[in-house]
Amino acid sequence: EYAVDQLQTRLHLRNQKSFRHRSTLSVLQVHSTNNDGSVHLFNCVAIILNLIKLPGVVCVFVAYYYLFDYALFGIIGSERVVLRVCVNAFITYLVGIMSFALLVSFSTRSGLASFYSGSSGYYTSRFIVWWFFMWFNRLCSGLLLYPIHGTFLFNIWLRMTGAQIGERCFIDPGAAGWFELDGIQIGDDSFVMTPNMHGHFVDHGKLQFAPVTIGQK
């Protein structure tokens, strides 16, 4: 009976310590979230950005299409509608993905969308910038540049964004794409086929950033 009482006492004390530990963490997390930024302001900004992102991309491609349609066929004219549409669509696609690829590279290289290291609180201006540009990074590295995945052209583009890519690498992030690009470090002769690789994680109530390193072979 004495041994049972001692065991129950120890379990009771342990549960109390665990409860106090969880309560402290909860208070710290709530305190950190309340001080980081305005949730209501972020929701308003998020709605505006969501209304801009995808429609903006579509509008760019539509504008390119009509621009090239007028430049190529507006003057000389063409009665072959199928040929006209195919040529315009192909040129629009090439120029469109090149434009967004250069936009992502410039925003990362200039430091505007560089998240190599550091941290960010929730709903802050840095968090909004990260959330906005990471959508473009995933769209460009995944869907728009899908035809050149696994080729040296995709590796060249990754180097343009600040990533350190070795020689003779096969890299295919899939249609989902990658988030942070300038923090990617891949060694020579590596074979990477995964969309689940990113340089951010949540720790101590903050969004933390760190480089992702993959060794040789």
Side-chain angles (χ1 to χ4, degrees), residues 24-196:
T24 304
L25 286 179
S26 300
V27 171
L28 289 175
Q29 289 174 356
V30 172
H31 184 267
S32 175
T33 303
N34 291 337
N35 286 342
D36 283 340
S38 173
V39 179
H40 301 293
L41 178 60
F42 172 79
N43 289 332
C44 296
V45 175
I47 293 175
I48 297 175
L49 293 180
N50 284 330
L51 293 175
I52 293 176
K53 289 188 296 188
L54 187 58
V57 173
V58 174
C59 289
V60 169
F61 278 95
V62 171
Y64 276 142
Y65 179 86
Y66 283 104
L67 176 64
F68 292 121
D69 181 69
Y70 175 78
L72 296 176
F73 301 100
I75 300 177
I76 61 177
S78 177
E79 298 179 355
R80 299 180 179 181
V81 180
V82 177
L83 177 62
R84 181 175 181 174
V85 171
C86 291
V87 171
N88 286 335
F90 180 72
I91 298 178
T92 299
Y93 174 75
L94 290 181
V95 177
I97 62 174
M98 288 178 61
S99 300
F100 283 104
L102 292 176
L103 174 64
V104 171
S105 300
F106 174 77
S107 61
T108 305
R109 284 286 191 176
S110 63
L112 180 62
S114 177
F115 296 92
Y116 181 85
S117 61
S119 62
S120 171
Y122 303 136
Y123 311 118
T124 61
S125 58
R126 180 173 171 82
F127 179 86
I128 295 175
V129 171
W130 170 81
W131 178 70
F132 179 74
F133 279 99
M134 292 311 104
W135 184 85
F136 279 103
N137 287 0
R138 295 182 63 190
L139 175 68
C140 192
S141 63
L143 184 62
L144 296 182
L145 295 181
Y146 184 80
I148 63 173
H149 284 178
T151 67
F152 71 96
L153 294 176
F154 188 70
N155 297 348
I156 292 176
W157 177 75
L158 287 176
R159 295 188 186 103
M160 290 174 59
T161 63
Q164 300 179 21
I165 308 299
E167 300 296 332
R168 300 174 300 277
C169 292
F170 181 92
I171 302 176
D172 183 2
W178 287 342
F179 285 84
E180 297 82 10
L181 299 174
D182 57 336
I184 298 176
Q185 303 173 6
I186 301 177
D188 298 335
D189 301 307
S190 296
F191 191 94
V192 182
M193 279 190 67
T194 174
N196 190 21

